[in-house]
């Protein structure tokens, strides 16, 4: 399994109603401390695509995470 696939699987296991993007980021950071912002962003988009038909609300959580990671500055 690739790094992105591992992160995607972790994201899919973590998402639940009410979890915020910040909480997802924190949990992903614990599970994958060496993951880059790009790795997380790509995995979040992949997770969003794979789940959108079954759970649009959860897909939006992944979209928020991906957008957050894409717009973070170096200091973040």
């Amino acid at each position: 399994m690739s790094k992105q696939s591992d992160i995607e699987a972790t994201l899919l296991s973590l998402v639940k109603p009410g979890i915020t993007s910040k909480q997802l980021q924190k949990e992903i950071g614990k599970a994958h401390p060496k993951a880059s912002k790009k790795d997380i962003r790509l995995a979040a988009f992949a997770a969003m695509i794979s789940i959108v038909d079954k759970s649009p609300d959860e897909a939006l959580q992944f979209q928020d995470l991906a957008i957050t990671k894409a717009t973070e500055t170096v200091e973040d």
Side-chain angles (χ1 to χ4, degrees), residues 8-70:
E8 179 183 352
T10 303
L11 283 168
L12 289 169
S13 71
L14 291 172
V15 73
K16 59 187 174 214
I19 193 167
T20 67
S21 177
K22 285 188 178 198
Q23 290 169 321
L24 277 174
Q25 287 182 60
K26 184 178 179 181
E27 294 302 318
I28 287 298
K30 288 179 187 176
H32 302 277
K34 294 185 179 187
S36 69
K37 290 177 189 179
K38 181 179 178 181
D39 293 332
I40 295 170
R41 182 177 71 242
L42 292 174
F45 276 125
M48 178 185 69
I49 291 166
S50 71
I51 201 169
V52 72
D53 288 336
K54 294 184 282 185
S55 182
D57 291 337
E58 290 176 357
L60 286 174
Q61 291 174 316
F62 293 136
Q63 180 185 23
D64 289 344
L65 175 62
I67 290 171
T68 299
K69 285 297 180 188

